[in-house]
Amino acid sequence: MFDLKQFQQELGDEIKQHLDDSLQERLKSLIGEERASIVRDAVEELRIERAVLGRDKTGLSDAQKTDFAIFAKAVAFPHSVKANEAMISEQDSRGGFLVPTEVASAILRIAASVGVAMSQCTKWDMKSDELDIPSYTGSFLEGEYLGVDAAGSVTGITFKSARLIAKKWQLAFAVGNDLLADATSAVGEWLLALAGEAIANMADKQVFLGTGNPFVGILSHPDVTVQALGSGNTGFGNYKVVDDSSDAIANIEESVLDRAAFYFSRTVWAKIRVQKDTAGNYLLPQSGLIQNNPKNGGPRPAGEILGFPVYTVRHLPAFSASAANTKFGVFGNLQAIAYGNKGDMRLEKYNSGNFGGKEIALADQMAMLMRHRHAFAVALPAALNVIKTSAV
């Protein structure tokens, strides 16, 4: 007996598979094969969550995702949407087309699920382009007990000003006119995942490696403690997983250890986790596997050292970059990083121009630009510890 409902389901799955293959292939030339694959993984995770739980992390229904795809289509083919007279995104009233608030929130939720920084930094809402927040650089306070009829001393508190200055982040990608013309929930999911993964990836890069263009990251911050390995340990492979990790933990005060973690490149972690003693036994229980640290809503820890989770960050130096006097790892509490969220997300389109090494007008494509303004700053340097190799 012919089952119409099953046939429709199978047909829908086949159409989504074809669409996914097409979108992934188109993205490869723009963001690379690995990045395109990660975006697809994010899309598939959304669908698995929806199938199992009835709702995915975006909080959007299929109808809302379809509406977002239709919105993107309307921006691209503005027969039904009136463009602003000038697209100047520094001016709130003239910044292209505002992405619906619930969709922008969904994109940031996806970013928090795939990016270390977006999931762990402390969020500050910014009403203006700049926001001064306190950055405490003094010692941890104790106060004192008062004697009888005696005045207490005044404790000087050392605050610096950590200024959140919103910068404009942009994601540019090209899609085929024929593909975007088919505005479905599947296209909406790809647009959401693409933007979420991209903003999370850039946030991780700035938080860990930023050199001031535009943000200062952990490895470059002058007030963050730097732990150099012992003399003669000039390579990443010289990191002693028990000894040096213990020193890193000791450099962070107890009050901020609760959410602390280790951060390495996955290639460095691959070497650290298999260190053995002189008898050939692994130093880490079950070679660094997670024992008691559940998933915290963001990226899953890759393992743990001495009870603290280990997260791998692609932007930290890989094992192949091993050299003397080189910073390569971080231990600390990422809530010490302030993430400033400034206003709305915008979507713009271009019908011509060079994107991905080709003129999109000649390829029957258009470029979509997503823009968002945000900021990062180290608010509590004492909660972070940078690990580097010895100079000699």
Side-chain angles (χ1 to χ4, degrees), residues 269 273 285-295 299-305 307-311:
W269 172 235
R273 69 184 303 173
Q286 297 186 51
S287 196
L289 294 178
I290 294 292
Q291 304 296 317
N292 301 308
N293 287 296
K295 188 172 181 180
R300 187 173 182 82
E304 71 176 33
I305 298 175
F308 291 92
V310 177
Y311 292 91

Side-chain angles (χ1 to χ4, degrees), residues 117 121 167 200-224 313-317 327 330 337 374-378 384 386:
C121 293
K167 298 295 182 179
N201 186 45
M202 178 54 79
D204 283 354
K205 183 176 183 179
Q206 291 297 324
V207 164
F208 285 95
L209 290 190
T211 57
N213 186 24
F215 307 117
V216 177
I218 298 171
L219 266 62
S220 304
H221 199 282
D223 294 325
V224 171
V313 179
R314 66 176 51 89
H315 300 292
L316 287 173
K327 299 173 181 177
V330 173
I337 306 293
H374 54 255
F376 292 99
V378 176
L384 301 163
V386 170

Side-chain angles (χ1 to χ4, degrees), residues 26 116 134 217 352:
R26 292 168 189 266
V116 171
S352 63

Side-chain angles (χ1 to χ4, degrees), residues 50 56 58 60-69 185 188-189:
R50 190 164 62 255
D56 59 46
T58 66
L60 302 179
S61 65
D62 281 349
Q64 288 174 307
K65 292 172 184 174
T66 301
D67 287 344
F68 178 51
S185 63
E189 285 177 339

